[in-house]
Amino acid sequence: MASLFFFLALVVSLLSSSPIATEAAVKRYKFEIVVKNVSRLCHAKPIVTVNGRFPGPTIYARAGDRVVVNVTNHAQYNISIHWHGLKQFRNGWADGPAYITQCPIQSGSSYVYDFNVTGQRGTLWWHAHILWLRATVHGAIVIMPEEGQSFPFPQPHGEAEIILGA
Ligand SMILES: [Cu+2]
């Protein structure tokens, strides 16, 4: 009986100190692929965007989170979204290159990208992975360390996302 109690106490202490016991969050995003007119240097031009924004929305997550992005394509071009620099551990189908890990999302259709951000942190970017659409369909991914963990550098005075586009 004493050995059973000792065994149960060991299991409980292992579970409570294990990182597996930490609850990972699910971050959900909705990407609506839409064509929008923009004016640059006195010229109006239609461009393909996510949610009408250029650059597109930033994805925020913590290492270990699950990220679910529901993409609906309202544009007249087929599209796919690639999460640049993210290692797709056991979720390669969510990587995004058209004709490699998935068929492109056709006009009027949706696709759900569902992946884990495991053991990764930093600022990356996402972009369309078909034709020339990445020129305007792109944005940042910010992966912060797990709750209670710090970045491997001192706390900055401020943070800003800078995206360079041509
Ligand atoms: Cu890329």
Side-chain angles (χ1 to χ4, degrees):
M1 190 66 185
S3 62
L4 177 65
F5 176 76
F6 176 76
F7 175 74
L8 287 175
L10 179 68
V11 168
V12 168
S13 70
L14 281 176
L15 283 177
S16 61
S17 64
S18 162
I20 296 168
T22 308
E23 196 72 21
V26 180
K27 302 289 167 58
R28 295 183 186 278
Y29 288 87
K30 223 171 161 124
F31 278 18
E32 306 283 340
I33 309 294
V34 291
V35 175
K36 186 183 182 198
N37 280 319
V38 295
S39 293
R40 287 281 155 91
L41 299 174
C42 310
H43 291 286
K45 194 176 177 181
I47 63 169
V48 181
T49 68
V50 170
N51 300 346
R53 295 172 54 185
F54 174 65
T58 298
I59 286 184
Y60 296 97
R62 287 191 179 276
D65 282 352
R66 176 178 164 207
V67 178
V68 179
V69 186
N70 192 339
V71 179
T72 301
N73 184 8
H74 303 281
Q76 66 270 45
Y77 312 101
N78 294 343
I79 201 163
S80 70
I81 305 288
H82 170 62
W83 318 96
H84 189 108
L86 265 180
K87 297 181 183 83
Q88 297 285 355
F89 298 119
R90 293 189 296 246
N91 29 251
W93 55 87
D95 198 36
Y99 303 109
I100 297 174
T101 57
Q102 69 171 100
C103 296
I105 308 165
Q106 296 185 348
S107 188
S109 298
S110 294
Y111 186 82
V112 177
Y113 291 92
D114 189 341
F115 52 90
N116 288 298
V117 184
T118 307
Q120 302 174 72
R121 58 187 163 179
T123 301
L124 307 168
W125 68 304
W126 55 264
H127 61 83
H129 206 293
I130 187 168
L131 305 172
W132 40 269
L133 294 175
R134 75 192 69 196
T136 57
V137 179
H138 58 245
I141 309 171
V142 177
I143 307 169
M144 295 161 287
E146 295 93 337
E147 195 79 53
Q149 302 285 312
S150 60
F151 283 103
F153 48 78
Q155 179 77 27
H157 296 291
E159 294 179 43
E161 297 146 25
I162 299 174
I163 297 175
L164 303 176

